[in-house]
Amino acid sequence: MLKLRLPLSTKLIFAFSLVIVIGVSISTIVGIRLIGNTILRQAQDKVRLDLNSAWEVYNAESEAIKTKIRMTANRFFIKEALIGNNLAELSSELQKVRRDEELDILTLVDTRGVVLVRTRDLKAFGDRSTDGIVDWVLINQKPVVSTQIVPESVLLREGEDLARRARIDMLPTPKSRPRDETVETAGMVIKAAAPVHDHTGALLGVLYGANLLNRNYAIVDRVKDIVYKGEQYDELDIGTATIFQDDLRISTNVMTIDGKRAIGTRVSEEVYDRVMRQGIPWVGRAFVVNAWYITAYAPIKNIHGERVGILYVGMLEAPYIDLRSRVVFIFLGIAVASVLLLSVIAYFTTARISGPIRELRNATRKVADGDLKHRLQITSRDEIGELSESFNRMTVALQKATDNYQALTRTLEEKVKEKTEELSAAQDFLVQSEKLASLGKLAAGIAHEINNPLTSILINSHLLLERTDKGDQSANNLQLIIDETTRCSAIVRGLLEFARQTPPEMTLVDINEVIKSTLLIMDTQALVHKVKVVKKLTKDLQHVMVDVNKIKQVFTNIVLNALDAMPEGGVLEIASSVSGENKEIKITFRDSGRGIPKENVTRIFDPFFTTKGTNGTGLGLSISYGIIQQHRGAIDVESEVGVGTTMAVRLPLYPITGDEKEETRDREV
Amino acid sequence: MTEKFKVLVVDDELPVCKSIASALTSKEYLIDTALSGEEALELQEKKHYDAIIIDLMMPGISGLELLKKVKKNRPDTMMIMITGYPSIRTAVESIKIGAFDYIPKPFTPNEIRSIVTRALTRKRVTQKKVEESRFLEDMPVPEGLYTIPNNSWAKVEDDGSVLVGVHHMLLVTIAKIAAIEFPKVNETRYQGETCVRIVESSERLHRLWTPVTGKITAINTKVQDDYSVLYKDPYVKGWLVQLTPTNLDVDLKNLLVT
């Protein structure tokens, strides 16, 4: 799977952003819901209260009718007229009352319920009232008021215009319950009835009055005025009220699109089921005619407690929705601002976290690349700070370990180098020794073999010479033989000395001491030669491993040669120093003698080369050369005729063999 | 007529034997020669030699073995070692065992005659306590000297130089000194090599071996002027030459310490 390589800061910012977005979204959604619901709940609570107010208005209307009827029933002229059976006067008086009290119906019946005066149609009387209210008053002899459904036949009897007013064509309404009828002929009235007693209290009859609610907008408009004070929103009344007869809107101030009262439309089946069928008030959103309202519905009951209609109040939802939208908008604004603010905080926090981590990563890379000296700056006291500190500790430890390791490796390398040099030195020494040993054996053999014949020659030539006269030519010849034989003998002796095998005795010494002790012996000689000896010795030189006697022999040889080179006197300067990057000690002998001709410079170390004639064997410098070679050193010669000769002896500062080195160490320890 | 000295020459090389015999041929000596140690042992059983000249390097019985055996049989026989390999160590070793002196090859007739004479004189001194022994015979060698017995001594001075002188027993065994041939200053002398020649009045030549290799730096002019100093004080005032040693420590190991 391909893994996207994202920087830590991006991941952190992403994570932060995710948290912020989720957090803000949840709080926004919850907040909006909460606020929206609160607004709606408050709206609903208000509607519930408004419904109560509407009920007050409705009941007040009912009570007003009831009071009117009760007062009228108690009026004296009705009792008098009834007692005196003066119906004509009663009719005219009651007609006046109906007009004065603005009642749609005002009818008087006798104790059997037979109509005596029908104020709306004086000619129509004598029929038996079928109204439940009249019967109730006849029995209970108390005033009462109630909402009643009145069928068309009854309406027609009370007044033809009332039946016309009550007749409402049903308009097709979505969501309403299906009904077969297309027109409502019955009307819904608020009807009050009161008993009429004589002075003794005997029942004379019952007076009842009613107002038809169909197309009567007094109640709904009063509700609107009282509760909503006629406020409008987008040219729509915020508050509306309606009276339903069953499910039909018979009195309302809910308007249709064309601005007419929405008479004839019906309530939705959902509301109808709840309110009419189950008798439970409804509070909630509802689509009323052409807009969403927050509504409350409650059933209207008749005197028998039967549900005959619905009282409705509703507030236009739009202001609340808009309010909620504004709140949501503000909320979203706050959320967006929060996201931005949190993002900025997250960015800086991330930077604070990822910065040191990035540095840590860079430091890790540097360490991986071998830069163990890199240290992190600790800027915080948190886990990253601790990590940085741990990292620093780790690199310190790592560096220490690496240093140790390198030191160990270096030591090891040096040791290997040392050992190799020692081995090579030892091998060279061995080879040299073997060569010298072979040469020594050879020389010894030669000496032995040659000396025997030389002995014979020498003795016999001497014997011959003894017998020869001194002036004789043969005597000279014999003397020549004797001289040459003697010279042969000297050469053989020199050869033996050259090849002489003496085991080296290596000791660690201060070369200055060796020079001084050599010069001590030579001082007399130098005086004899009128040579001034100047010492330029470097103090505290590292000790060298040498065979002191052999080195003394070399120095003596060189000094004696120098003195020989200055028969008329001169200066011999002897200096010691460290050279060759502390790898060797250099001892120079500079004389102001006659110098060595160029052609001889390369030959002075050759065995038997001498410029001293019979005074030298020509082996002194050869032996010296051999000794210095045994010490793995060198002798350099610089010479100029008439100016002087400089001989430089260089001796290495490392020991010649391993064994002796160990001894030296033990001693040092 | 006095009895002749019986001398045996032992060398594995016939020419050398003959040459030495020729050199020594005189009225005083009866000379036999032997070409091997075995032969020499046989001869010395039959005859009681006064002196035997023995080559150190011989096949079969070596010179040193022969020296030991003869020394056991005939302690009074003077033995002179000759060697073609003038290693002072072997020579000193042979003197420690009982040889009178040694002489490196090659040598002249005079030299061999002188050393034989000296040996025989020494023998006589020991046997008869002759007058010639004078006062020197019982003289002890001072302490701290390095010697080649019967021949020379060396003394290391505080300044590192070495004084060389003559062993008193050499003086005892030679006649009056006629001349002393000193080496030249600046000459180098190797250990075991001739350092000084002492010439007797009888013209016999005696070699004084160089005890320590070195360059001659001075000679004792007082002795040069008056040889009697030697007899009076051979170990202090009678030093002969001074030299600068070049290989002192090694050389000293080959010498006898008193």
Side-chain angles (χ1 to χ4, degrees):
Chain A
M1 192 180 123
L2 182 80
K3 276 199 177 166
L4 214 71
R5 201 191 164 282
L6 285 172
L8 184 70
S9 55
T10 311
K11 282 181 188 165
L12 279 172
I13 288 176
F14 181 75
F16 269 120
S17 304
L18 200 70
V19 169
I20 290 165
V21 167
I22 289 174
V24 169
S25 300
I26 287 174
S27 60
T28 306
I29 290 167
V30 168
I32 288 170
R33 276 279 167 85
L34 221 61
I35 290 169
N37 287 349
T38 306
I39 289 169
L40 285 179
R41 198 163 51 247
Q42 279 183 346
Q44 282 172 0
D45 288 347
K46 186 175 185 307
V47 161
R48 199 176 285 120
L49 284 171
D50 293 347
L51 185 64
N52 287 345
S53 302
W55 269 123
E56 288 300 319
V57 172
Y58 190 87
N59 287 337
E61 183 65 22
S62 300
E63 285 303 317
I65 295 172
K66 186 182 165 188
T67 305
K68 284 173 190 171
I69 299 302
R70 185 171 54 82
M71 297 295 280
T72 309
N74 282 339
R75 284 177 69 167
F76 184 72
F77 77 90
I78 296 181
K79 292 175 188 176
E80 285 298 312
L82 275 176
I83 293 163
N85 208 19
N86 190 355
L87 290 176
E89 194 190 329
L90 200 59
S91 294
S92 68
E93 282 300 319
L94 284 175
Q95 261 182 329
K96 228 180 343 183
V97 168
R98 191 182 71 86
R99 272 198 301 275
D100 290 348
E101 300 295 345
E102 293 175 331
L103 292 166
D104 290 329
I105 296 168
L106 186 63
T107 302
L108 184 68
V109 295
D110 63 9
T111 53
R112 288 163 303 165
V114 176
V115 174
L116 295 174
V117 179
R118 190 171 263 123
T119 56
R120 201 162 185 102
D121 185 1
L122 293 175
K123 282 171 246 150
F125 58 90
D127 56 315
R128 172 75 171 89
S129 169
T130 54
D131 203 320
I133 284 186
V134 173
D135 290 343
W136 191 88
V137 174
L138 284 174
I139 294 163
N140 294 308
Q141 296 190 19
K142 279 199 288 192
V144 73
V145 69
S146 172
T147 308
Q148 298 290 104
I149 300 295
V150 185
E152 192 184 18
S153 57
V154 176
L155 284 174
L156 283 171
R157 219 179 295 154
E158 293 290 350
E160 200 186 339
D161 60 324
L162 284 179
R164 224 173 22 252
R165 213 178 90 195
R167 186 186 178 88
I168 292 170
D169 291 326
M170 291 182 190
L171 299 174
T173 310
K175 295 184 182 177
S176 61
R177 73 183 171 106
R179 274 179 85 164
D180 295 335
E181 305 94 326
T182 54
V183 67
E184 180 59 70
T185 52
M188 188 158 91
V189 297
I190 298 173
K191 195 173 189 177
V196 179
H197 294 104
D198 65 4
H199 306 297
T200 60
L203 186 69
L204 296 173
V206 173
L207 181 67
Y208 73 89
N211 270 343
L212 183 63
L213 293 173
N214 298 35
R215 290 196 174 90
N216 177 348
Y217 307 117
I219 291 173
V220 293
D221 284 352
R222 193 174 304 149
V223 168
K224 191 180 89 180
D225 289 343
I226 289 170
V227 178
Y228 300 110
K229 299 174 181 73
E231 277 179 59
Q232 285 202 321
Y233 190 87
D234 278 351
E235 296 176 5
L236 281 174
D237 286 325
I238 286 175
T240 54
T242 298
I243 297 165
F244 291 90
Q245 179 183 331
D246 194 40
D247 66 345
L248 183 70
R249 214 168 249 110
I250 55 168
S251 171
T252 184
N253 41 36
V254 176
M255 299 297 172
T256 57
I257 299 161
D258 44 5
K260 287 180 186 160
R261 291 180 192 263
I263 301 299
T265 56
R266 294 192 292 138
V267 79
S268 67
E269 188 172 15
E270 194 187 359
V271 175
Y272 182 83
D273 273 348
R274 192 167 162 98
V275 180
M276 286 302 285
R277 293 201 177 118
Q278 295 173 37
I280 302 165
W282 162 283
V283 176
R285 283 180 88 222
F287 191 81
V288 178
V289 184
N290 53 14
W292 280 100
Y293 284 82
I294 299 157
T295 60
Y297 295 83
I300 303 170
K301 293 170 186 172
N302 66 9
I303 191 164
H304 305 299
E306 293 160 356
R307 294 181 283 274
V308 293
I310 301 168
L311 181 64
Y312 149 92
V313 288
M315 284 189 298
L316 204 56
E317 197 187 29
Y320 291 94
I321 294 296
D322 287 351
L323 177 66
R324 197 178 65 176
S325 298
R326 268 204 305 282
V327 168
V328 166
F329 190 76
I330 290 166
F331 230 87
L332 281 175
I334 290 170
V336 168
S338 302
V339 165
L340 288 175
L341 188 70
L342 286 173
S343 296
V344 170
I345 292 170
Y347 176 79
F348 284 112
T349 311
T350 307
R352 267 187 73 89
I353 294 168
S354 67
I357 289 176
R358 201 182 306 118
E359 272 186 22
L360 196 65
R361 181 199 61 188
N362 292 341
T364 314
R365 279 185 188 163
K366 278 186 180 171
V367 169
D369 290 343
D371 178 11
L372 294 179
K373 291 202 170 60
H374 190 76
R375 297 283 179 278
L376 284 171
Q377 206 170 356
I378 293 154
T379 51
S380 60
R381 287 262 147 249
D382 56 10
E383 288 86 342
I384 288 173
E386 279 170 25
L387 188 62
S388 301
E389 214 174 306
S390 300
F391 178 85
N392 283 347
R393 275 211 302 278
M394 183 191 77
T395 45
V396 166
L398 201 60
Q399 187 173 17
K400 216 168 161 184
T402 312
D403 286 351
N404 286 345
Y405 170 74
Q406 279 175 349
L408 207 68
T409 313
R410 250 200 312 276
T411 314
L412 202 64
E413 277 173 4
E414 274 169 10
K415 274 191 176 168
V416 167
K417 203 177 155 195
E418 242 172 51
K419 283 286 166 196
T420 311
E421 278 172 356
E422 279 172 16
L423 266 176
S424 146
Q427 199 183 13
D428 286 357
F429 185 70
L430 203 66
V431 169
Q432 189 71 14
S433 300
E434 296 226 331
K435 272 188 195 165
L436 284 170
S438 314
L439 190 59
K441 277 177 193 161
L442 190 69
I446 289 169
H448 185 70
E449 293 305 320
I450 289 180
N451 276 334
N452 278 331
L454 283 182
T455 307
S456 301
I457 294 166
L458 201 59
I459 289 173
N460 287 296
S461 46
H462 266 286
L463 291 175
L464 275 176
L465 189 64
E466 281 169 12
R467 287 173 214 154
T468 312
D469 291 335
K470 292 233 163 143
D472 203 324
Q473 176 64 34
S474 302
N476 291 338
N477 296 346
L478 283 168
Q479 189 58 52
L480 198 65
I481 293 172
I482 289 164
D483 289 350
E484 287 303 295
T485 311
T486 308
R487 204 157 78 87
C488 278
S489 162
I491 290 167
V492 169
R493 265 200 308 278
L495 191 63
L496 273 170
E497 184 65 28
F498 174 62
R500 179 179 239 153
Q501 287 181 72
T502 43
E505 292 178 19
M506 309 302 279
T507 44
L508 205 60
V509 293
D510 180 356
I511 204 73
N512 288 338
E513 292 305 316
V514 180
I515 294 170
K516 282 177 195 164
S517 81
T518 306
L519 288 175
L520 199 64
I521 301 165
M522 311 293 296
D523 271 351
T524 338
Q525 275 264 28
L527 276 174
V528 169
H529 281 78
K530 294 173 194 162
V531 168
K532 192 186 175 196
V533 178
V534 179
K535 284 177 278 186
K536 288 188 175 175
L537 307 180
T538 305
K539 280 183 180 175
D540 299 325
L541 283 175
Q542 193 181 328
H543 287 196
V544 278
M545 184 65 90
V546 294
D547 183 329
V548 175
N549 289 314
K550 294 209 165 187
I551 295 297
K552 266 193 194 175
Q553 193 180 340
V554 172
F555 289 177
T556 306
N557 265 323
I558 293 172
V559 171
L560 289 176
N561 280 335
L563 294 180
D564 281 346
M566 299 181 281
E568 308 298 321
V571 179
L572 172 63
E573 184 190 298
I574 301 172
S576 65
S577 61
V578 177
S579 76
E581 294 173 346
N582 294 327
K583 286 283 169 66
E584 53 188 27
I585 296 273
K586 190 176 180 182
I587 308 104
T588 54
F589 302 82
R590 185 195 308 273
D591 68 49
S592 58
R594 63 174 85 91
I596 308 165
K598 263 186 189 170
E599 62 268 26
N600 287 346
V601 167
T602 49
R603 297 175 59 200
I604 58 168
F605 297 114
D606 291 351
F608 310 116
F609 176 80
T610 177
T611 55
K612 299 176 191 168
T614 49
N615 279 343
T617 58
L619 287 169
L621 278 178
S622 303
I623 292 166
S624 300
Y625 190 78
I627 289 169
I628 296 302
Q629 275 208 321
Q630 276 187 358
H631 284 77
R632 290 185 56 79
I635 305 182
D636 306 321
V637 188
E638 273 177 42
S639 188
E640 201 175 321
V641 174
V643 176
T645 303
T646 302
M647 299 277 261
V649 174
R650 287 184 281 128
L651 291 168
L653 273 173
Y654 51 84
I656 285 174
T657 67
D659 290 346
E660 278 147 8
K661 173 128 193 283
E662 291 303 317
E663 274 176 33
T664 313
R665 280 215 175 135
D666 291 343
R667 241 176 278 142
E668 275 170 3
V669 170
Chain B
M1 189 182 144
T2 50
E3 201 180 331
K4 284 189 177 183
F5 291 110
K6 295 188 283 287
V7 178
L8 176 63
V9 179
V10 189
D11 195 304
D12 59 323
E13 286 198 22
L14 188 60
V16 176
C17 275
K18 277 183 174 177
S19 298
I20 295 170
S22 301
L24 293 175
T25 300
S26 73
K27 296 169 190 169
E28 295 172 57
Y29 303 131
L30 266 174
I31 299 166
D32 290 329
T33 56
L35 289 171
S36 69
E38 290 83 353
E39 197 186 340
L41 275 177
E42 261 177 54
L43 283 172
Q44 69 90 32
E45 285 288 332
K46 290 179 208 157
K47 283 188 187 177
H48 189 170
Y49 291 102
D50 295 296
I52 305 178
I53 299 163
I54 304 169
D55 185 17
L56 268 171
M57 298 272 283
M58 286 190 297
I61 297 177
S62 76
L64 274 181
E65 283 173 77
L66 182 62
L67 168 67
K68 284 177 196 165
K69 283 182 175 161
V70 174
K71 193 75 204 170
K72 211 171 157 191
N73 280 354
R74 312 267 191 198
D76 62 337
T77 301
M78 303 308 285
M79 277 167 283
I80 297 154
M81 313 306 290
I82 54 172
T83 175
Y85 191 165
S87 157
I88 198 80
R89 194 180 290 206
T90 324
V92 172
E93 197 181 342
S94 62
I95 289 167
K96 277 186 202 165
I97 293 168
F100 169 70
D101 205 346
Y102 83 98
I103 181 164
K105 293 174 184 174
F107 43 81
T108 62
N110 261 348
E111 283 170 339
I112 191 70
R113 285 171 199 151
S114 302
I115 201 164
V116 171
T117 307
R118 205 153 49 83
L120 294 173
T121 310
R122 176 80 169 85
K123 189 177 181 228
R124 231 175 27 217
V125 168
T126 317
Q127 284 177 339
K128 301 178 183 173
K129 308 258 181 190
V130 288
E131 255 177 76
E132 288 95 315
S133 70
R134 282 164 286 205
F135 61 93
L136 282 170
E137 196 194 337
D138 300 320
M139 174 181 268
V141 179
E143 283 185 14
L145 292 189
Y146 297 86
T147 64
I148 299 173
N150 301 327
N151 193 288
S152 63
W153 55 262
K155 186 182 175 191
V156 182
E157 294 285 288
D158 292 340
D159 64 0
S161 68
V162 172
L163 292 178
V164 177
V166 61
H167 196 279
H168 74 275
M169 280 313 291
L170 188 120
L171 293 173
V172 171
T173 53
I174 62 173
K176 192 171 182 253
I177 295 169
I180 296 176
E181 292 176 14
F182 287 94
K184 286 174 189 164
V185 172
N186 278 342
E187 277 180 346
T188 298
R189 285 288 183 272
Y190 290 95
Q191 188 181 42
E193 212 182 8
T194 308
C195 180
V196 173
R197 292 165 196 264
I198 297 174
V199 186
E200 273 182 71
S201 48
S202 61
E203 289 195 3
R204 293 203 194 287
L205 198 81
H206 301 281
R207 291 197 210 187
L208 202 66
W209 308 126
T210 311
V212 169
T213 303
K215 200 165 189 178
I216 309 296
T217 55
I219 56 172
N220 192 346
T221 47
K222 284 179 185 171
V223 174
Q224 218 169 12
D225 298 344
D226 180 8
Y227 300 149
S228 67
V229 177
L230 273 182
Y231 293 98
K232 288 174 192 160
D233 190 359
Y235 289 110
V236 183
K237 286 181 183 168
W239 63 273
L240 295 175
V241 297
Q242 186 185 34
L243 55 80
T244 300
T246 50
N247 205 12
L248 184 65
D249 292 357
V250 176
D251 289 349
L252 290 182
K253 282 178 190 160
N254 294 329
L255 301 175
L256 275 182
V257 189
T258 59

